[in-house]
């Protein structure tokens, strides 16, 4: 089954404790992206990757890191999480963003205390 | 920079009522347009998309949208909503020279039985 898989789906952590949210897609997609969803703000792009070893900042990259060492994986790293990073995170992939459509993962709900 | 506006943040309808959700974007070039739906507790799924050609596009579950270039709009419509249409709806735009999909802030639709 074609899908984008994120883990963990739910996480409660404390300020400053490094964490990684994994994202894996099995559709051989070139493009991958991370979004965060906050009430009243919609989805905002954090980082994206056009291909392996190619990543770039989105609209809200502060406090996040990413890597794209393999085509299928695109982990999101929070080196020192803070409460303002409490959010719902979505990973998405596309064969080609222009003019492709995005396929989304199930989401990861993160709470930083 | 491209942006997307969804003017209706919350919409409440009774079953069988007609639906129209507004979406306006700001970008002067060629665009690809999308409507995504997010059912409670789920990830985003594509409802419909416009790339080129007939400005009236039909999607899944009886939804349609009309692209009016002169108004920079891509409004979503459904003649008769059902309780199962209760969800949040996101309009998104991808300018073909941009490497990301920009989302509106979303419209929460509640359909009462």
């Amino acid at each position: 089954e074609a899908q984008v898989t994120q883990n963990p789906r739910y996480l409660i952590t404390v300020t400053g404790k490094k964490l990684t949210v994994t994202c894996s897609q099995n559709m051989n997609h070139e493009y991958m992206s991370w979004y965060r969803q906050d009430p009243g703000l919609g989805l905002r792009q954090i980082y994206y990757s056009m291909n392996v070893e190619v990543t770039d900042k989105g609209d809200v990259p502060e406090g996040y890191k990413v890597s794209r060492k393999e085509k299928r994986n695109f982990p999101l790293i929070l080196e020192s999480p803070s409460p303002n990073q409490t959010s719902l995170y979505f990973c998405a992939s596309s064969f080609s963003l222009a003019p492709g459509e995005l396929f989304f993962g199930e989401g990861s709900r993160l709470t930083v205390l | 920079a491209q942006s997307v506006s969804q003017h209706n943040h919350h919409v409440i309808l009774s079953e069988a009522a007609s639906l129209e959700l507004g979406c306006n974007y700001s970008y002067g070039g060629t665009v690809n347009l999308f409507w995504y739906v997010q059912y409670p507790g789920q990830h985003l799924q594509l409802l419909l998309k416009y790339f080129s050609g007939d400005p009236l596009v039909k999607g899944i579950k009886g939804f349609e949208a009309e692209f009016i270039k002169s108004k920079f709009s891509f409004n979503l419509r459904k003649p008769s909503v059902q309780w199962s249409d209760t969800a949040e709806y996101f309009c998104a735009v991808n300018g073909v020279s941009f490497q990301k999909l920009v989302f509106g802030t979303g419209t929460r639709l509640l359909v009462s039985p």
Side-chain angles (χ1 to χ4, degrees):
Chain A
E1 181 188 352
Q3 58 187 2
V4 179
T5 303
Q6 298 178 225
N7 279 296
R9 296 286 313 281
Y10 302 91
L11 179 63
I12 300 174
T13 189
V14 295
T15 299
K17 186 175 181 182
K18 180 180 178 180
L19 67 92
T20 299
V21 185
T22 63
C23 173
S24 181
Q25 50 91 5
N26 62 0
M27 295 170 279
N28 201 35
H29 283 170
E30 300 286 339
Y31 179 97
M32 296 185 75
S33 181
W34 277 101
Y35 286 84
R36 60 177 288 173
Q37 183 181 14
D38 301 290
L41 297 177
L43 281 88
R44 295 177 292 167
Q45 191 182 49
I46 303 171
Y47 269 94
Y48 66 94
S49 169
M50 298 295 292
N51 208 333
V52 175
E53 302 293 358
V54 179
T55 64
D56 209 346
K57 296 177 181 179
D59 296 318
V60 288
E62 295 78 19
Y64 304 95
K65 287 174 58 177
V66 293
S67 68
R68 187 91 182 273
K69 295 182 177 140
E70 304 167 282
K71 195 173 190 177
R72 62 183 292 127
N73 296 324
F74 191 46
L76 179 70
I77 303 158
L78 286 73
E79 293 272 1
S80 182
S82 61
N84 65 10
Q85 292 179 296
T86 292
S87 187
L88 179 59
Y89 291 86
F90 286 101
C91 181
S93 70
S94 170
F95 180 75
S96 173
L97 185 60
E101 66 178 85
L102 285 176
F103 293 84
F104 283 85
E106 297 285 336
S108 297
R109 186 168 291 281
L110 171 65
T111 300
V112 183
L113 302 175
Chain B
Q2 53 188 352
S3 64
V4 180
S5 297
Q6 292 182 243
H7 308 296
N8 313 103
H9 298 297
H10 293 90
V11 173
I12 301 174
L13 294 172
S14 300
E15 274 193 317
S18 64
L19 170 71
E20 180 159 3
L21 301 182
C23 173
N24 288 90
Y25 66 93
S26 64
Y27 181 66
T30 302
V31 293
N32 301 312
L33 298 155
F34 305 81
W35 275 98
Y36 281 83
V37 60
Q38 185 179 29
Y39 297 105
Q42 296 188 27
H43 63 290
L44 279 81
Q45 305 168 46
L46 184 69
L47 262 184
L48 48 80
K49 58 190 177 186
Y50 172 80
F51 292 162
S52 63
D54 188 344
L56 184 63
V57 294
K58 295 190 183 298
I60 60 172
K61 303 185 180 184
F63 286 90
E64 64 179 32
E66 184 175 14
F67 171 50
I68 303 179
K69 189 175 181 180
S70 61
K71 295 185 177 180
F72 297 90
S73 70
F74 190 56
N75 292 354
L76 181 71
R77 300 195 292 248
K78 186 171 184 178
S80 176
V81 295
Q82 301 172 308
W83 176 79
S84 58
D85 293 324
T86 293
E88 190 160 16
Y89 293 81
F90 292 93
C91 181
V93 61
N94 164 229
V96 292
S97 62
F98 286 88
Q99 307 306 331
K100 65 179 179 181
L101 208 53
V102 177
F103 286 85
T105 54
T107 298
R108 283 188 185 272
L109 172 65
L110 175 63
V111 180
S112 57

